[in-house]
Amino acid sequence: MSCFGCSKKYGMFTKEYGCPNCGYSYCAKCLKRPMAVPRQGGKVLNVCLICYDKLSKLQATEKVIDCEALPGTIVTKPLLSQQKSETGIAAVAADSLFE
């Protein structure tokens, strides 16, 4: 058997490790990127480069924006329909963006 990352054969000086996310076998040099692994309850473990890239992108897209902390008001369709009677043409143009 050999490392899935660098194809180095396992032997007396090269030990086989399993990536905690994908389960493929890697040597110690290829399995050295610390990342929180969802499959292991969010523990920070060393993962392979492929899983590191996937988990990094996953964590980057999971950022939650607190709408209450943002300045201004949130524009929604019911709010625009209320303003339609007050402002007329400008509200009709903005309302058409949501349809």
Side-chain angles (χ1 to χ4, degrees), residues 41-99:
K43 291 181 185 176
V44 178
L45 300 169
N46 290 334
V47 296
C48 63
L49 178 62
I50 297 167
C51 291
Y52 182 80
D53 289 340
K54 288 180 183 179
L55 293 172
S56 295
K57 289 177 185 174
L58 179 69
Q59 288 180 356
T61 59
E62 286 184 354
K63 303 230 185 232
V64 178
I65 298 172
D66 184 15
C67 293
E68 301 298 323
L70 295 174
T73 59
I74 298 174
V75 179
T76 60
K77 192 170 183 169
L79 181 62
L80 285 175
S81 61
Q82 275 181 345
Q83 292 176 349
K84 186 186 287 186
S85 60
E86 297 172 6
T87 58
I89 298 172
V92 173
D95 194 27
S96 67
L97 293 174
F98 288 102
E99 294 175 358

